[in-house]
Amino acid sequence: MTETLSVPAKMPVRLRVNGQNRDLLIEPSASLLQVLREDLALTGTKEVCLLGSCGACTVLIDGKPALSCLVLAMACRGKAITTIEGLMEGGDLHPLQQAFIDKGAVQCGYCTPGMVMVGKALLDEKPNPTAEEARQAIAGNLCRCTGYQQIVEAIVAAPEIARTGSAKRPAGLMDSGPYLMPETGE
Amino acid sequence: MNKLNEYAVIGKKTTKTDAVAKVTGGARFATDIYLPNMLWAKVLRSPVPHARILRIDTEKAKKLDGVKAVLTAADVPEARYGALVLDMGMFARGKVRYIGEAVAAVAAVNEEIALAALKLIEVAYEPLPAVFDPLEAIKPGAPILHEDLKSYKTLFERTDKAMTGNVNYQAEITSGDLEAGFAQSDYIFEDSYEVPKQHPSYMEPNSTVALVDSDGRLVIHNTTQRPHINQAILSSLLGIPIAKIRVVPCHVGGGFGGKNRTLTEPTAAALALKTRQPVRLTFSHEEEFTSATTRHSGVMVMKTGVKKDGTLVASDVKLYYDCGAYAPTPNAVWLGAISSSGAYRIPHCRVEAYSIYTNKMMGGAFRGYGAPQSNFARESQMDRIARELKIDPIELRLKNCLVEGDSLHTGQKLHSVKVKETLLKARELSGWGKGRVPANRTLGVACGIFACGGFATSGIVRLNMDGTATVATGAMDMGQGLRTVMGQIAAEELGMAAEDVTVIIGDTDSTPFDVGIFGDRGTHTAGMAVQMAAQDARKQLVEQAAFAFKTTPNNIVLGGGKARLASDPDKVLDYKDLLGGGQYKKGGPIIGKASINLTETAFDPAIVRGAASRMFSTYTFATHIVEIEVDPKTGVVRVPKTYAVHDCGTVVNPDGLRGQIIGGLATGLGYALYEGVAFENGQVQNPSFLECRPPTAVDMPEIVFDTVEEFDEKGPFGAKGVGNVSVINMAPAIANAVETATGVRVTSLPITPGKIVQGLGQLAKEEA
């Protein structure tokens, strides 16, 4: 005799993610994190503790940093959600992304998306943050690799990169870049 | 000898090759893999610390709609694995030995069904007496965890005390004449220190996706520091030939030793073989804290004999490391024994080091690898000696520190020893003894030694038709930047730009063997194999250029992606032109290769018994000075500033070096002040980042960082490692500063406010 687990029916929802409307059928209890990763394949946002203690799942909701593991996806209707995948503009890196690369702020990279998102929220609010302000902004985000110093330096350096327009179009993205045939350019 | 100025790539700012992918969300980790028809695995874990398994009934679970497979020990081969002691199987067999041990596993169409199925598995346990303290566990009559211990296979030379009772691995080091040494001493100090388990707290959980591909081969996508060892272990556990297994690691979201393990791979693989569907097994955050591996907790007893002038004469050390219920890496005890004499010359030494079973979660590898424990004892006691003898702590260290050509207590002769220089530079930077520190702050110092490099590795360098190079190494990048550094080493050797070298890591189908990245062997040892493979390729490239120019190889100069005639520098050929046409004209494409083992010499059995390795390639040193503030009312310690000076050999990647050292200091800070897995009858009491918290950005001190560069003859371009030694000094340095500030000597970690307040109360009582 086979038993079947009873699960609530899925519900339709429209979410606005990285500037695009996405129509989905989701479980009413699904977190925003789960929907981003599993329904929208936006796996840049990371799942670690599911307790709101580490900051790895941070996204922006209407421009403010939010822990997507603690937010129901259903509660995000009508709000603008920005994830790490939505930061590049016209194929160029965001100045803060460029700053993370230039300052050696990336090691294993698992905390990086969350760090970049809280850093961006800070820069949107305070265009020229001090090191102390940057340190306070990332105080809720854990990183085991870097000891945070180079992340703080990257946030402080980002405004200069924005001013000089020195954020680059990434050549040969390691895991996701297009491969071009050298002869035909295809 | 500093050759830094001669290099084009080594020591120059070089962008991390995976940084772009990681700042854009594009880097793929094992947890990011979602495949069609993928099943979700969950593990049923023991709720009791020690019990006989009377019966397991999986029938109800198997009948739940959506469950595709349920496995227990009865369904898998009876095989065990481990680094030195082969004591652990895929599932508990006959007995459970800790709360959190795997008893059964389920694969189902989604996570909810897999979790629901676990609740339907019925297990009958007969509780057995348990033991949680390593010193209790070695007493006669203590509950025995592994009754058949003597019959287990081991990969080290067993001492009399090894593999008896609850002791698995054991080592002894004796040098000089201990009794004579103590007889010559004016003072004898005897202290005992205790440290808790510390979780590696990598951000990314352990995770594996296993599948059987269309050729019938088992494919593993995982997060690991040792793909080739994973492959070998899977082969032995599942009875499949190595060539039928392909391990393709993803980006690793932090390892620190904790992923020098094989935890999720065998279970996911067995379920995939059973169901013929892709299976994903990811540890929950709580499972990380109950069923992964931690730094060994332990007790260190240290007796040291000293002359009036502070000269260290004799040292008797006993290390009792608690490895938990299984010993996947008792090597930590061995490395603890090596670091236990500190960075000092002590003529008469004895070390007895024990790895002891208790009914707790497993001790494994974690950054510092056995040394944070023994160095906490050594460096705490050094300050006590300095205080009693009224000698400045740095002067005492300078008086006794190892110098070039000295031998360690193991009998190994040392080279590239710059600990004295790190002490002097740190003293100068911190203004030690100069009264520069603000009135409410106190300084504390510690230095240390860590074994660097060794064991088997290999590299392959292929030169491509377009003038670029492809490097393959079995060594893993766990985020520290190994991939970038391997590229720099090959580029320097081949006379190319760093961006013209692509490094392939991990995939066992396309990379040659490496034993795993741990113990400061990435840059130093894997880098050496890559350098030698590049030298092999370079030699062939020179021959090809000589053929093209119709000259002799010694007339060829390589550099900047071009080959030139030494006799006529205007005659130039781009690598692109040389390799594009050349490989068809003269004997196929150029492939350089090297297979090496930098631990070749065995220790002298008259000095070392039970060695877990041969002699290490070299040693790294560091001095750290902390500036602390203590609130005498609350006992809260803050560390606003830290001076860190490292003897790191040649610097290959300055940003990577700095990041790795500051990260190591952060882990050391956590070990000193905050972290410690707490147990109650074998049950973890704080299984999350909320309760067992690594340092945050606002806990971190301002870091003043410097290096003492020295060309290490065994490393590529003279490089050594820094990953481990950066962790081992923070706890003793802070404990030493706390005593200077408050008079309270804290001999156990973490140094909590409670211990300081209690100590202050005790001091007040003694005065009154």
Side-chain angles (χ1 to χ4, degrees):
Chain A
M1 185 62 200
T2 302
E3 272 190 59
T4 303
L5 205 63
S6 77
V7 287
K10 291 190 173 184
M11 293 173 70
V13 65
R14 170 169 291 181
L15 295 178
R16 190 159 179 80
V17 182
N18 298 333
Q20 284 187 312
N21 284 335
R22 308 295 295 261
D23 292 308
L24 302 164
L25 207 55
I26 64 170
E27 284 173 24
S29 62
S31 68
L32 177 59
L33 174 64
Q34 194 182 337
V35 169
L36 289 173
R37 289 179 56 82
E38 296 180 15
D39 296 289
L40 294 172
L42 294 170
T43 54
T45 305
K46 295 299 177 215
E47 175 180 324
V48 177
C49 71
L50 299 179
L51 297 165
S53 70
C54 74
C57 66
T58 305
V59 299
L60 302 184
I61 301 179
D62 287 341
K64 301 274 180 228
L67 298 166
S68 64
C69 76
L70 299 182
V71 177
L72 289 179
M74 279 300 197
C76 296
R77 280 173 294 193
K79 294 175 180 173
I81 298 155
T82 309
T83 71
I84 188 72
E85 291 91 346
L87 282 200
M88 283 172 71
E89 277 171 29
D92 290 333
L93 292 169
H94 186 279
L96 183 56
Q97 290 173 314
Q98 186 65 51
F100 266 65
I101 297 168
D102 293 349
K103 292 291 171 186
V106 180
Q107 285 190 42
C108 87
Y110 216 71
C111 76
T112 307
M115 290 286 185
V116 171
M117 297 317 281
V118 292
K120 180 186 187 296
L122 174 70
L123 290 163
D124 289 346
E125 203 181 296
K126 288 196 169 152
N128 291 294
T130 64
E132 188 48 35
E133 285 165 341
R135 202 167 272 282
Q136 290 292 340
I138 61 166
N141 291 57
L142 294 177
C143 169
R144 191 59 141 176
C145 297
T146 64
Y148 307 100
Q149 181 60 35
Q150 284 147 306
I151 296 174
V152 169
E153 289 167 11
I155 295 172
V156 172
E160 180 63 19
I161 291 173
R163 268 190 296 279
T164 56
S166 52
K168 295 178 200 114
R169 188 171 291 255
L173 281 181
M174 281 281 319
D175 279 11
S176 50
Y179 176 75
L180 299 181
M181 284 295 291
E183 287 176 17
T184 62
E186 281 172 356
Chain B
M1 181 169 49
N2 192 337
K3 298 184 173 178
L4 213 51
N5 296 332
E6 299 168 20
Y7 298 138
V9 187
I10 299 293
K12 302 294 184 290
K13 186 174 175 68
T14 305
T15 301
K16 205 161 179 285
T17 54
D18 49 356
V20 171
K22 286 174 173 176
V23 298
T24 54
R28 194 159 70 151
F29 295 84
T31 47
D32 297 332
I33 298 177
Y34 299 87
L35 297 174
N37 294 323
M38 188 176 84
L39 302 176
W40 292 77
K42 287 284 163 189
V43 177
L44 181 72
R45 300 191 173 279
S46 170
V48 289
H50 200 191
R52 217 172 295 289
I53 301 172
L54 300 177
R55 164 178 85 247
I56 307 178
D57 187 346
T58 60
E59 286 312 305
K60 278 187 199 154
K62 282 178 180 160
K63 283 180 185 150
L64 183 66
D65 201 11
V67 171
K68 299 291 178 178
V70 182
L71 296 179
T72 68
D75 305 301
V76 297
E78 190 174 350
R80 288 190 295 257
Y81 66 115
L84 295 178
V85 179
L86 279 65
D87 61 359
M88 188 169 76
M90 219 184 293
F91 297 106
R93 190 178 291 273
K95 257 176 87 165
V96 288
R97 296 180 174 91
Y98 71 100
I99 296 174
E101 181 168 3
V103 175
V106 171
V109 294
N110 64 41
E111 218 171 346
E112 291 70 32
I113 293 174
L115 284 168
L118 294 187
K119 296 199 175 113
L120 298 174
I121 300 173
E122 292 167 8
V123 187
Y125 295 106
E126 179 195 315
L128 294 168
V131 61
F132 305 112
D133 180 300
L135 297 182
E136 291 296 321
I138 52 173
K139 284 184 181 162
I144 297 295
L145 275 82
H146 296 262
E147 290 84 353
D148 302 327
L149 188 59
K150 280 204 189 300
S151 71
Y152 288 3
K153 193 175 170 196
T154 51
L155 303 172
F156 66 100
E157 200 174 319
R158 295 185 190 193
T159 61
D160 293 346
K161 292 167 190 156
M163 304 304 282
T164 60
N166 284 319
V167 175
N168 44 77
Y169 171 72
Q170 201 259 349
E172 289 177 15
I173 301 168
T174 46
S175 58
D177 181 341
L178 193 67
E179 280 181 28
F182 281 122
Q184 290 164 26
S185 302
D186 295 316
Y187 300 97
I188 291 172
F189 293 82
E190 192 162 4
D191 299 289
S192 177
Y193 301 89
E194 195 172 354
V195 290
K197 289 181 184 289
Q198 184 187 22
H199 192 275
S201 293
Y202 33 73
M203 295 296 286
E204 175 209 30
N206 280 286
S207 193
T208 294
V209 173
L211 57 98
V212 180
D213 75 6
S214 56
D215 297 324
R217 295 171 81 211
L218 176 64
V219 179
I220 301 288
H221 297 285
N222 60 344
T223 174
T224 186
Q225 295 171 224
R226 53 172 197 183
H228 291 270
I229 297 294
N230 288 160
Q231 187 190 37
I233 287 175
L234 287 166
S235 169
S236 70
L237 283 183
L238 300 166
I240 305 173
I242 281 181
K244 300 289 182 198
I245 301 169
R246 180 183 182 192
V247 178
V248 196
C250 303
H251 281 290
V252 176
F256 316 114
K259 289 183 184 154
N260 195 41
R261 289 274 64 71
T262 306
L263 290 172
T264 50
E265 293 86 354
T267 311
L271 289 165
L273 289 167
K274 174 97 178 165
T275 60
R276 298 278 151 170
Q277 281 177 254
V279 173
R280 166 152 161 195
L281 174 58
T282 302
F283 271 10
S284 71
H285 191 52
E286 186 170 337
E287 277 176 306
E288 279 296 339
F289 278 87
T290 61
S291 307
T293 58
T294 64
R295 186 185 309 297
H296 291 63
S297 50
V299 175
M300 290 76 62
V301 181
M302 189 166 276
K303 183 177 165 188
T304 304
V306 198
K307 292 266 196 204
K308 272 186 199 136
D309 67 355
T311 305
L312 299 177
V313 184
S315 161
D316 187 9
V317 176
K318 293 188 175 64
L319 306 176
Y320 304 99
Y321 284 14
D322 178 352
C323 74
Y326 297 90
T329 324
N331 316 52
V333 183
W334 166 237
L335 283 145
I338 287 175
S339 285
S340 69
S341 60
Y344 305 116
R345 200 181 324 111
I346 312 179
H348 308 287
C349 279
R350 181 171 71 186
V351 186
E352 285 177 49
Y354 298 85
S355 169
I356 302 162
Y357 289 125
T358 64
N359 294 106
K360 300 214 295 273
M361 75 182 292
M362 294 178 287
F366 179 20
R367 204 167 177 182
Y369 209 11
Q373 297 94 322
S374 59
N375 202 51
F376 174 60
R378 173 60 65 197
E379 285 298 279
S380 293
Q381 195 185 53
M382 279 301 277
D383 254 46
R384 197 164 93 76
I385 294 169
R387 200 171 303 275
E388 296 276 332
L389 270 53
K390 298 190 169 50
I391 301 175
D392 174 81
I394 292 184
E395 285 299 331
L396 180 69
R397 287 170 169 85
L398 287 169
K399 189 177 190 66
N400 291 287
C401 70
L402 293 161
V403 296
E404 194 73 27
D406 274 348
S407 289
L408 210 55
H409 58 321
T410 57
Q412 180 168 3
K413 196 168 180 324
L414 302 172
H415 64 272
S416 85
V417 183
K418 292 280 162 191
V419 61
K420 181 172 256 174
E421 288 75 1
T422 68
L423 279 160
L424 291 170
K425 204 171 224 181
R427 176 163 79 175
E428 186 191 320
L429 287 172
S430 68
W432 179 276
K434 298 249 169 69
R436 289 213 311 254
V437 182
N440 62 336
R441 291 190 186 175
T442 313
L443 296 176
V445 64
C447 60
I449 177 173
F450 193 83
C452 169
F455 309 105
T457 190
S458 48
I460 297 172
V461 173
R462 288 177 289 172
L463 303 187
N464 303 315
M465 284 189 287
D466 61 356
T468 63
T470 307
V471 173
T473 169
M476 269 308 287
D477 191 333
M478 55 183 129
Q480 82 280 41
L482 179 135
R483 182 151 42 181
T484 310
V485 164
M486 296 302 112
Q488 286 182 268
I489 288 169
E492 185 70 51
E493 194 60 53
L494 292 165
M496 285 182 183
E499 53 267 29
D500 287 337
V501 179
T502 295
V503 180
I504 299 172
I505 56 166
D507 182 349
T508 54
D509 267 12
S510 52
T511 67
F513 182 82
D514 177 88
V515 76
I517 286 307
F518 55 83
D520 285 350
R521 61 184 298 283
T523 297
H524 180 83
T525 307
M528 196 68 213
V530 166
Q531 184 182 18
M532 288 165 70
Q535 283 165 347
D536 184 12
R538 182 192 174 97
K539 185 167 166 281
Q540 298 174 57
L541 184 62
V542 166
E543 282 164 8
Q544 198 146 299
F547 177 80
F549 282 119
K550 299 187 172 51
T551 184
T552 53
N554 60 9
N555 192 23
I556 299 294
V557 179
L558 300 182
K562 296 175 199 307
R564 285 187 165 74
L565 274 185
S567 57
D568 182 1
D570 289 340
K571 286 240 165 115
V572 177
L573 260 178
D574 284 346
Y575 287 176
K576 175 162 56 78
D577 300 322
L578 196 54
L579 292 161
Q583 74 176 34
Y584 295 107
K585 287 184 189 139
K586 191 177 185 295
I590 290 176
I591 301 172
K593 60 186 169 55
S595 293
I596 60 170
N597 186 332
L598 294 185
T599 29
E600 286 172 332
T601 314
F603 287 96
D604 180 351
I607 299 174
V608 177
R609 285 163 306 284
S613 71
R614 285 173 288 181
M615 286 187 180
F616 292 92
S617 179
T618 187
Y619 290 80
T620 63
F621 301 89
T623 296
H624 298 151
I625 294 179
V626 294
E627 210 171 288
I628 71 157
E629 293 171 12
V630 190
D631 182 331
K633 285 205 188 73
T634 61
V636 169
V637 176
R638 269 189 1 99
V639 187
K641 208 164 180 182
T642 294
Y643 305 86
V645 182
H646 280 251
D647 163 16
C648 56
T650 303
V651 176
V652 179
N653 188 308
D655 282 346
L657 177 90
R658 181 163 166 258
Q660 206 180 1
I661 287 175
I662 299 177
L665 295 173
T667 292
L669 179 73
Y671 192 50
L673 294 179
Y674 313 119
E675 299 174 51
V677 182
F679 291 87
E680 188 76 46
N681 293 324
Q683 175 83 58
V684 177
Q685 300 297 299
N686 50 355
S688 76
F689 286 157
L690 275 179
E691 299 143 303
C692 190
R693 181 176 68 83
T696 68
V698 291
D699 299 319
M700 279 300 289
E702 176 196 346
I703 310 279
V704 180
F705 159 72
D706 211 339
T707 58
V708 177
E709 286 194 52
E710 164 75 3
F711 189 90
D712 186 279
E713 65 200 51
K714 299 275 187 70
F717 299 103
K720 300 203 273 192
V722 292
N724 290 282
V725 77
S726 52
V727 175
I728 70 174
N729 293 333
M730 285 300 270
I734 292 171
N736 293 341
V738 164
E739 185 174 12
T740 305
T742 64
V744 176
R745 168 55 61 180
V746 181
T747 56
S748 67
L749 296 178
I751 303 163
T752 56
K755 289 176 189 171
I756 293 173
V757 169
Q758 202 176 5
L760 285 168
Q762 190 69 31
L763 285 178
K765 224 184 273 174
E766 282 165 22
E767 271 177 36

